[in-house]
Amino acid sequence: MLVRHRDPEAVARAAASAVVESAFRAVHDHGNFRLVLAGGRTPRAAYELLAGEFREEVDWRRVTLFFGDERCVPPEDEASNYRMVRDSLLDPLRLPPSSVRRMAGEVTPDNAAAEYDVELRRAIEDRQPAFDLVLLGMGPEGHTASLFPGDAALEQRHRACVHVTVPAQPADRLTMTPMALSASRQVLFLVTGEDKAEAISEVFKDGSRLPAAIVSQMAPSRFLVDEAAASRVGA
Ligand code: 6PG
């Protein structure tokens, strides 16, 4: 489902509200809230709202945060998704390390992927669906997390987390697979900007094989997009 918003600020606000609502429902239903975070630039504004204006709306003691993907760099690196989340959400909320299941970008990629695979399987075996909400972004060519068009990881049926080499920098990544990303009550894509318009238009065409389309067809999903990113839908 596509939900249009005026601009990136409105998308961020809608995303933060969706997190608050999902957290309330999850804590009511099973006493805890498992949230998978997106990397990249788009979600930062939503994280800042959650750590600021919305901070009292979530019982952060009951939250466990996972990552949909990570660049294979140390957590202090400018390119690290963990660093972006730490700066915009974890530090401002002073969340304890026990709330966060970090992908170890500083570790040998195959070992880090195997470690996180165990972590995710534990969550998947413990509860179905494993996650209450998965936040994702989307690249201009339709990639999501670090699942790029045509990558073998899109067909992965056994592993929940794999090491991939992608046509972007940094090239070495850890990513949850579609099987893991879709093990969620809800998936929310946050997509803004004219450069995403072509891919958004493609995602909503029947039979799309873009990674964002594949994942969105596997779980209840919504695309929160601004007018710029929605500008070619139906074209
Ligand atoms: C990453 C993200 C990636 C991101 C898209 C969109 O590690 O970069 O997981 O999938 O969501 O590339 O990135 P922007 O939000 O920066 O446009």
Side-chain angles (χ1 to χ4, degrees):
M1 180 204 302
L2 182 80
V3 184
R4 292 169 185 255
H5 291 279
R6 189 180 55 256
D7 55 26
E9 163 66 15
V11 167
R13 190 162 287 277
S17 300
V19 169
V20 168
E21 186 185 328
S22 177
F24 179 81
R25 185 176 162 208
V27 169
H28 174 269
D29 291 352
H30 36 251
N32 58 64
F33 177 48
R34 288 180 181 166
L35 173 63
V36 178
L37 296 173
R41 294 179 304 273
T42 303
R44 184 174 185 130
Y47 300 159
E48 289 168 346
L49 284 170
L50 287 166
E53 190 179 326
F54 291 69
R55 68 186 296 141
E56 301 303 326
E57 309 291 323
V58 176
D59 184 350
W60 294 102
R61 296 165 305 172
R62 296 176 181 266
V63 175
T64 305
L65 300 172
F66 295 80
F67 285 77
D69 74 327
E70 185 55 280
R71 292 82 178 276
C72 295
V73 296
E76 294 300 323
D77 191 296
E78 284 288 331
S80 165
N81 286 333
Y82 172 78
R83 170 156 176 185
M84 183 273 287
V85 168
R86 187 201 66 194
D87 293 348
S88 59
L89 187 68
L90 307 184
D91 283 359
L93 287 173
R94 289 193 292 280
L95 290 186
S98 59
S99 299
V100 186
R101 301 289 183 271
R102 184 176 68 86
M103 288 182 168
E106 72 280 19
V107 168
T108 305
D110 287 339
N111 295 346
E115 281 171 21
Y116 211 75
D117 189 67
V118 169
E119 184 77 57
L120 292 173
R121 287 168 175 288
R122 189 177 297 134
I124 292 168
E125 281 150 22
D126 171 55
R127 158 151 75 86
Q128 285 76 42
F131 308 109
D132 298 292
L133 179 61
V134 170
L135 299 179
L136 286 168
M138 189 189 74
E141 78 301 283
H143 85 259
T144 193
S146 284
L147 299 165
F148 280 70
D151 196 303
L154 288 165
E155 309 304 325
Q156 176 58 250
R157 296 283 180 273
H158 305 291
R159 294 284 300 271
C161 182
V162 292
H163 164 218
V164 291
T165 304
V166 303
Q169 290 305 318
D172 277 310
R173 309 275 182 99
L174 305 171
T175 187
M176 283 172 67
T177 56
M179 172 192 82
L181 289 170
S182 59
S184 183
R185 231 178 195 171
Q186 189 185 177
V187 178
L188 214 47
F189 292 84
L190 315 184
V191 186
T192 63
E194 171 68 34
D195 63 324
K196 312 286 177 77
E198 188 52 44
I200 284 288
S201 165
E202 280 305 309
V203 159
F204 284 92
K205 285 180 180 164
D206 288 346
S208 173
R209 297 305 295 158
L210 291 182
I214 291 170
V215 173
S216 70
Q217 289 151 16
M218 295 170 73
S221 300
R222 279 185 293 155
F223 285 76
L224 304 186
V225 302
D226 68 353
E227 287 305 339
S231 58
R232 293 199 206 154
V233 170

